[in-house]
Amino acid sequence: MTASTEAADLTAADPSARIEVLLVGMNGDLRGKMIPLKAEDKVWKNTVRLPASTQSLDIWGDDNDDITKISLTLGDPDGICTPDKNSLTTLPWGPAGSKQVLATMHTLDGEPHYVCPRAILANVLKRFEEKGLTPVVATELEFYVMEPDFRETGVPMPPKALVMNGEVEGYQLYDMRATAAMEDFLETVREYCDHMGLPADATTAEFGPGQFEVNLLHKPNAISAADDCIYLKRVVDFAARRHGFKATCMAKPYGDHAGSGLHVHASIIDRQGKNILDAKGGDPVKLKSITAGMLKSMQDAQLIFAPFANSYRRFQPGSFAPDKIDWGFGNRGTAIRIPDKDGPAARIEHRVAGADANPHLLLAAILGGILLGLDEDLDPGPVTTPDSAPENPEMLTYDFLTAVERFRSSAFIRQIFGAEYQRIYGDTKRKEAMAYLRTVSSFDYQTYLPRI
């Protein structure tokens, strides 16, 4: 973030100014504390504490002590919220002078807590550091903006500016009229991003009504790139509130419109700053090997890319959300796309994750797959082209519970996330999947009740 945010200008601050200390939870949710700005020293002296269980809460906010064993079983002990100064930035929707900072949960003994997503990603990055390598990462976040009456109606509705006679005006991909109709909201998003020093680049209208994408520029620090994505989700949320809308990163809010993705671009540089994926006009051996590593681990990690029951509605044949485990050069229909193979911009684009994914866990899973391709020379198999595709390719699952069971039994997941986090995350998601299966929906009633 910007260096100007590091020192508090108390003379210019509103008396009610605050600093928010934020932890990233299992589901990408932010939990934390508001500290009066005049007491900011507490933050940097590592005296801010929260129960460690706050980082393993399920989507309903339950601590699931019967699963995690880190809440009442242990007396719900505190952890230390260790702030990361690299993530210190302003709080543009708060009183003047307010700030926010992301923290990593540590145990009372000072060790990074195994349940903290930022700590998990940091552990993966250590393996790159040992090789003398640095991942360079950028994210592209899609989201929907909708009318705020979803709590009363129980269903989402596109912004009225994009609707005529109760019907949406059609696909809005790259349609500048759609961005113009939502200009006030998008201008606030840009304003907040500028205020916070977020490296926001292009903003585009996507397929669905009220769906937009914001690209973040690449960074040679994957934790900072994940932090930027978390902050962007927060920016979109608060900008929507300011204009009387609801913003959502739900993967598939409308059954008949496009889902929202979270695409990741990644390259790898060595200690001299050279991109080791650069094929220099020849065969992109390294690019293909790391692609193979990501493909090899994709089924095991799908629960990270698609963490909720709704996430699996996004994987549909014929959509831009990939359902096959495949790769291609410049092919937006594949799971792994190689946009460039030569020069400093040589990189992969991972296109599987939904916008609902936790950015820190997402990058840990993707970079873990890349490590497989760095440690061995792997073959990704036949390339998918507009003219040909591999016969009988392996598939991503459409089923939440199947993804849960793959995650829970995976040696790859255990290696990247640790056995204890694999157990906690997998069992918590299994509980969610079973609750989803037990719920009889309105579709069940409308379809089967009159006919059976």
Side-chain angles (χ1 to χ4, degrees):
M1 303 307 161
T2 57
S4 62
T5 60
E6 291 194 9
D9 184 358
L10 295 178
T11 59
D14 188 292
S16 59
R18 61 184 183 267
I19 180 169
E20 295 185 0
V21 182
L22 305 169
L23 291 167
V24 181
M26 176 184 289
N27 295 301
D29 50 317
L30 291 175
R31 312 271 171 170
K33 285 186 176 181
M34 292 182 180
I35 309 293
L37 198 60
K38 60 187 178 184
E40 184 182 358
D41 281 354
K42 292 181 180 179
V43 176
W44 307 111
K45 291 178 180 176
N46 292 343
T47 61
V48 177
R49 297 183 178 186
L50 279 172
S53 59
T54 55
Q55 294 200 280
S56 62
L57 301 176
D58 66 19
I59 191 61
W60 299 286
D62 190 346
D63 64 15
N64 293 303
D65 186 58
D66 57 324
I67 293 173
T68 65
K69 310 297 184 188
I70 60 175
S71 182
L72 290 178
T73 296
L74 301 177
D76 208 13
D78 276 342
I80 300 170
C81 302
T82 305
D84 182 351
K85 223 166 192 180
N86 289 327
S87 73
L88 178 65
T89 186
T90 60
L91 190 74
W93 48 84
S98 293
K99 306 176 185 181
Q100 54 188 323
V101 67
L102 289 163
T104 299
M105 175 68 76
H106 284 67
T107 67
L108 296 181
D109 295 330
E111 294 297 318
H113 203 295
Y114 67 83
V115 83
C116 177
R118 293 181 94 251
I120 290 169
L121 178 54
N123 283 335
V124 175
L125 293 176
K126 284 179 185 176
R127 294 174 58 182
F128 281 88
E129 188 178 349
E130 290 165 0
K131 296 176 180 293
L133 300 174
T134 300
V136 179
V137 180
T139 60
E140 299 171 348
L141 178 70
E142 297 172 346
F143 56 89
Y144 272 93
V145 183
M146 55 192 58
E147 290 296 322
D149 58 356
F150 70 98
R151 292 188 184 276
E152 291 77 40
T153 64
V155 294
M157 287 295 295
K160 290 184 175 65
L162 301 173
V163 172
M164 178 175 286
N165 237 2
E167 297 291 332
V168 296
E169 297 171 359
Y171 298 126
Q172 60 168 49
L173 185 64
Y174 303 133
D175 190 336
M176 299 306 292
R177 290 166 298 182
T179 54
M182 298 297 291
E183 175 62 24
D184 290 347
F185 159 74
L186 294 173
E187 179 59 35
T188 299
V189 170
R190 288 191 290 270
E191 174 191 322
Y192 285 171
C193 285
D194 289 345
H195 202 284
M196 293 170 60
L198 285 179
D201 189 26
T203 300
T204 57
E206 284 293 324
F207 272 103
Q211 187 185 34
F212 297 92
E213 178 184 274
V214 176
N215 297 345
L216 292 168
L217 296 175
H218 63 271
K219 280 192 169 181
N221 181 327
I223 294 177
S224 288
D227 290 350
D228 287 348
C229 189
I230 280 283
Y231 275 144
L232 178 57
K233 289 186 178 189
R234 202 168 198 225
V235 160
V236 168
D237 179 22
F238 277 88
R241 294 187 198 189
R242 176 169 161 178
H243 291 279
F245 295 118
K246 160 68 179 173
T248 183
C249 290
M250 186 176 175
K252 192 77 171 175
Y254 300 106
D256 52 352
H257 293 294
S260 291
L262 174 51
H263 301 160
V264 175
H265 292 251
S267 58
I268 311 291
I269 58 174
D270 61 19
R271 288 193 175 100
Q272 287 72 47
K274 294 180 180 177
N275 185 353
I276 69 166
L277 304 180
D278 180 5
K280 298 181 173 65
D283 187 18
V285 175
K286 282 286 185 188
L287 268 169
K288 290 197 287 189
S289 187
I290 68 163
T291 293
M294 287 181 287
L295 296 176
K296 183 178 179 180
S297 57
M298 193 168 281
Q299 288 179 327
D300 290 0
Q302 189 176 354
L303 186 62
I304 296 295
F305 310 144
F308 307 107
N310 174 263
S311 310
Y312 294 82
R313 301 192 188 281
R314 187 172 150 264
F315 299 105
Q316 297 182 11
S319 75
F320 279 103
D323 61 345
K324 301 177 183 66
I325 299 177
D326 58 359
W327 70 285
F329 292 103
N331 190 331
R332 286 186 168 86
T334 55
I336 303 295
R337 169 179 174 251
I338 298 178
D340 288 292
K341 69 179 185 66
D342 300 315
R347 66 192 188 280
I348 60 88
E349 180 188 9
H350 192 287
R351 297 180 57 81
V352 178
D356 52 354
N358 179 321
H360 296 83
L361 299 181
L362 170 61
L363 293 189
I366 292 173
L367 295 177
I370 287 175
L371 283 169
L372 293 179
L374 291 175
D375 291 339
E376 302 179 48
D377 291 328
L378 302 178
D379 181 3
V383 63
T384 297
T385 71
D387 300 320
S388 66
E391 292 185 11
N392 303 315
E394 288 193 85
M395 304 292 292
L396 292 163
T397 184
Y398 303 104
D399 180 66
F400 188 22
L401 188 57
T402 298
V404 168
E405 299 304 345
R406 285 174 176 170
F407 179 95
R408 292 171 76 231
S409 62
S410 168
F412 167 78
I413 293 297
R414 192 156 49 251
Q415 183 184 42
I416 297 301
F417 292 87
E420 194 61 9
Y421 196 77
Q422 179 185 36
R423 182 188 68 79
I424 289 173
Y425 189 93
D427 288 359
T428 300
K429 290 298 176 180
R430 191 175 195 281
K431 172 192 168 185
E432 185 179 334
M434 296 308 296
Y436 175 72
L437 288 174
R438 285 194 298 267
T439 301
V440 182
S441 70
S442 59
F443 178 87
D444 289 79
Y445 292 131
Q446 291 168 4
T447 302
Y448 304 116
L449 198 60
R451 296 177 173 87
I452 297 175

